[in-house]
Amino acid sequence: MNIVLLDGYTLNPGDLDWAPLEQLGSFQVYDRVKSEEVVEKAKEADILLTNKAKITREVLEQLPNVKYIGVTATGYNIVDTEAARERGIPVTNVSDYSSRAVAQHTFALMLHFTNDVARLGESVRAKAWAQSPDFCYSFQPLTELSGKTLGLVGFGSIAKQVAQIGHAFGMRILAHRRHAKPELTHPYVEMASLEDVFRESDFVSLHCPLTSETQGLVNAERLSWMKHTALLINTGRGPLIVEQDLADALNAGTIAGAGLDVLSVEPPSLDNPLTEAKNCLITPHVAWLAFEARRRLLQMAADNIRAFMNGTPINVVN
């Protein structure tokens, strides 16, 4: 079969081996494809792989050869799954390949605020320590995580990893999930209402899926529930936050800061209000990007295809 990957660069900028996919058929990979190029690049594909390139109903109508669509990510809203189902095309995704990496990045964002490592390191390089009258200095009070409350919105595989790390730091862990499942409780995790998570936490970390119900979940009202000293962390989905509301809250000192790895539009527009908001650290959607996570993702995408070829498809989302 002809396998076409429309946007392979972020998955593999050159440090991974494409062999798991090359072994399955004739394999063509493009670094990135513009929306108007999708049909032309995918016209010979039996198996179509995409990460961010949109596969709409209109696109599918022009691709009669496609028998399978694989999303090389967990979120699959870039594919019209209903249109694919109508054509008998299974759509698969890859989940839980980056839980540890995303949890690690969540704490990297938190520690940026509590330990101020980058600014202190830059000051030493600028000779500030060499000119200091004291043997140590800081620009802000440094903060222990131990004893602080970490609130998790969503309690899937990534949030569970975050909870485990937070517990190891000695934090109190609160978690909210819209559909609570008693059998999924953990001994060191307190399940709580959404309002209690926002009101009681020193750190609120978002780990819920993006749905019609969660879009704009973090708005002006819920930000007003937070402590003035609290920090908001988002390694989930950008549209979970009303960005102007968060920018206003940061600039007004309603909350102390925000660490974000995702935005509502990526790359962001030049006038995104968060890029210049006070105490807002933004990284360019890299929480999933660890080498080990990408290697797992590549292998799991290949496993999905192999299962489809064997007549026993797995991880089908439509």
Side-chain angles (χ1 to χ4, degrees):
M1 288 189 176
N2 291 325
I3 304 170
V4 176
L5 174 53
L6 294 174
D7 44 5
Y9 183 79
T10 53
L11 169 58
N12 180 11
D15 56 354
L16 292 175
D17 190 340
W18 289 117
L21 293 172
E22 291 172 334
Q23 295 167 359
L24 298 173
S26 173
F27 177 62
Q28 174 68 56
V29 58
Y30 299 97
D31 282 348
R32 55 189 69 83
V33 171
K34 296 178 181 178
S35 57
E36 62 269 22
E37 299 175 329
V38 169
V39 172
E40 175 62 25
K41 301 297 186 184
K43 64 182 179 181
E44 301 299 329
D46 299 299
I47 291 174
L48 185 59
L49 301 177
T50 181
N51 186 292
K52 290 291 186 284
K54 292 185 178 180
I55 310 300
T56 64
R57 179 179 293 273
E58 292 71 25
V59 166
L60 281 174
E61 289 172 350
Q62 301 175 72
L63 298 176
N65 294 329
V66 170
K67 303 172 181 63
Y68 168 98
I69 298 171
V71 181
T72 56
T74 301
Y76 50 87
N77 56 300
I78 45 91
V79 178
D80 188 327
T81 54
E82 177 63 21
R85 187 189 63 78
E86 292 171 6
R87 301 175 67 88
I89 301 171
V91 179
T92 68
N93 73 337
V94 180
S95 61
D96 203 21
Y97 68 91
S98 62
S99 296
R100 290 183 287 272
V102 175
Q104 178 177 310
H105 196 78
T106 297
F107 276 89
L109 294 172
M110 291 168 59
L111 291 167
H112 163 81
F113 290 101
T114 61
N115 288 62
D116 204 20
V117 171
R119 184 164 54 148
L120 289 168
E122 289 167 2
S123 75
V124 172
R125 183 176 290 274
K127 310 303 181 185
W129 196 12
Q131 299 168 18
S132 172
D134 302 306
F135 77 95
C136 69
Y137 62 90
S138 66
F139 301 112
Q140 65 182 45
L142 304 185
T143 305
E144 285 187 354
L145 292 181
S146 179
K148 300 298 186 294
T149 298
L150 170 60
L152 306 175
V153 180
F155 199 56
S157 58
I158 295 173
K160 290 182 177 67
Q161 292 284 337
V162 173
Q164 183 178 357
I165 298 170
H167 178 64
F169 269 114
M171 303 181 80
R172 174 195 179 203
I173 312 297
L174 297 180
H176 171 80
R177 62 181 302 159
R178 196 162 54 86
H179 300 297
K181 298 180 179 179
E183 69 274 14
L184 296 181
T185 58
H186 285 57
Y188 50 80
V189 177
E190 303 171 45
M191 303 307 292
S193 70
L194 185 63
E195 182 169 349
D196 284 347
V197 166
F198 274 85
R199 288 192 182 280
E200 297 184 30
S201 298
D202 299 295
F203 302 86
V204 175
S205 189
L206 307 181
H207 301 285
C208 52
L210 177 62
T211 67
S212 58
E213 294 175 324
T214 61
Q215 185 166 353
L217 179 142
V218 180
N219 55 24
E221 179 184 10
R222 290 180 175 130
L223 288 164
S224 73
W225 294 346
M226 295 175 66
K227 302 175 183 178
H228 293 311
T229 55
L231 295 159
L232 178 71
I233 307 294
N234 188 12
T235 54
R237 294 288 182 266
L240 297 173
I241 296 173
V242 179
E243 291 178 337
Q244 187 62 61
D245 287 359
L246 176 56
D248 292 343
L250 291 167
N251 292 330
T254 303
I255 65 172
L260 313 173
D261 186 53
V262 287
L263 293 173
S264 61
V265 176
E266 299 171 351
S269 61
L270 294 176
D271 60 353
N272 185 300
L274 289 171
T275 57
E276 296 184 358
K278 292 180 181 178
N279 297 323
C280 187
L281 173 68
I282 304 173
T283 53
H285 203 144
V286 296
W288 70 282
L289 205 60
F291 173 83
E292 296 81 0
R294 290 184 290 110
R295 183 171 55 190
R296 279 192 295 273
L297 171 56
L298 177 58
Q299 185 59 59
M300 292 167 77
D303 292 343
N304 283 349
I305 295 173
R306 185 175 292 106
F308 166 73
M309 289 178 167
N310 291 337
T312 57
I314 57 175
N315 298 317
V316 177
V317 296
N318 66 334

